Amino acid sequence: MSTKPVSKKFGKSTREVPAAADKAKKWYNADDESDPKQVRKAIRAWAPRASLQPGTVLILLAGRFRGKRVVLLKNLEQGVLLVTGPFKINGVPLRRINSRYVIATSVKVDISGLDQKKVDEIAQPKYFTAEKAKEKAGADAFFKQGEKPQRDLWQFYSAETTLANAIRLQKKQISSSRAADQKAIDKALIASIKKVEMLPSYLASSFSLRQGDKPHEMAW
């Protein structure tokens, strides 16, 4: 089908007749059809700030350990950083932090003594995912529950409270493999930190602002 306008003669005059595709529609949809929104922002891969180099001492601005000073171990994907306290110095374990909630300082720690393979292993996403709950009991165990003798209300609540406490304590327990990884990272990192005077106490102290402090004038 032609999409070009056609010249037709009407009496003594001629005019151009638009193609069928360009003619006005005889009917319209009852519902408004919104045009897709045009996104003008280009999707670019995340690039870490120049100050976020492995070994840099960072100040955490949010989360459970806000105000703590940590050592940057590796830049992960999507703006996530792998950091540690070390745990033996300030109680911050191996964890992932969003790069938006840190302040990079000018202090750096030599991390050349770390086992890079171990750091890469810890940097994997599956390392920080919670373990799946154990499989539920089968149908036989479900029907056996009805055969148990009835207990009074006090015994029921006591058993439920004991079970809840046991589950809570079980969740807090840290696997032996993660504890071993933490010790391996801390051992090499603390050896480098102790070589610099006052650096252990600097990492152990928490950052805070007082009245009259001007963060924009501070030299980090």
Side-chain angles (χ1 to χ4, degrees):
M1 183 181 292
S2 177
T3 58
K4 296 181 179 179
V6 181
S7 297
K8 289 187 177 182
K9 189 173 183 180
F10 295 91
K12 296 181 180 180
S13 62
T14 58
R15 63 186 177 89
E16 291 185 351
V17 178
D22 298 334
K23 290 182 179 180
K25 295 181 180 180
K26 294 182 179 180
W27 56 273
Y28 296 91
N29 294 332
D31 299 329
D32 294 335
E33 295 182 357
S34 58
D35 296 333
K37 185 179 179 181
Q38 295 181 354
V39 180
R40 294 172 179 167
K41 294 182 179 179
I43 301 175
R44 301 183 180 89
W46 175 78
R49 304 196 299 264
S51 58
L52 296 178
Q53 299 297 328
T56 304
V57 176
L58 310 177
I59 299 174
L60 304 184
L61 300 179
R64 176 184 172 188
F65 299 101
R66 58 183 176 273
K68 295 285 188 178
R69 293 181 171 91
V70 296
V71 180
L72 174 60
L73 300 180
K74 188 176 181 179
N75 290 305
L76 308 181
E77 297 179 355
Q78 299 179 352
V80 181
L81 310 175
L82 177 63
V83 300
T84 185
F87 181 78
K88 193 173 182 180
I89 292 180
N90 54 22
V92 182
L94 288 163
R95 60 190 292 114
R96 296 176 297 181
I97 299 293
N98 194 319
S99 60
R100 294 184 178 183
Y101 304 111
V102 299
I103 296 177
T105 65
S106 58
V107 181
K108 288 191 176 183
V109 179
D110 183 16
I111 61 171
S112 58
L114 294 180
D115 186 2
Q116 193 59 37
K117 292 184 179 179
K118 178 62 68 176
V119 174
D120 294 339
E121 178 185 347
I122 297 172
Q124 297 299 322
K126 62 181 180 180
Y127 184 85
F128 292 96
T129 54
E131 296 180 358
K132 293 183 179 179
K134 295 181 179 180
E135 296 181 359
K136 296 182 179 179
D140 296 338
F142 175 77
F143 287 110
K144 285 182 180 179
Q145 291 179 358
E147 300 175 1
K148 295 181 181 179
Q150 295 182 355
R151 299 173 294 178
D152 58 5
L153 192 61
W154 173 255
Q155 291 177 346
F156 174 77
Y157 281 119
S158 299
E160 291 294 323
T161 305
T162 305
L163 180 61
N165 291 335
I167 295 174
R168 179 172 53 83
L169 293 174
Q170 186 177 5
K171 287 182 179 179
K172 287 187 176 181
Q173 290 179 356
I174 301 173
S175 61
S176 58
S177 60
R178 293 191 65 171
D181 294 342
Q182 183 70 60
K183 290 179 181 179
I185 296 295
D186 284 3
K187 183 178 180 181
L189 200 58
I190 292 174
S192 300
I193 291 173
K194 287 184 176 179
K195 294 179 181 178
V196 182
E197 187 179 2
M198 301 297 292
L199 186 55
S201 59
Y202 173 74
L203 292 173
S205 62
S206 298
F207 172 78
S208 62
L209 292 174
R210 298 181 180 179
Q211 186 176 4
D213 291 343
K214 299 178 181 179
H216 61 283
E217 296 182 356
M218 292 182 178
W220 305 99

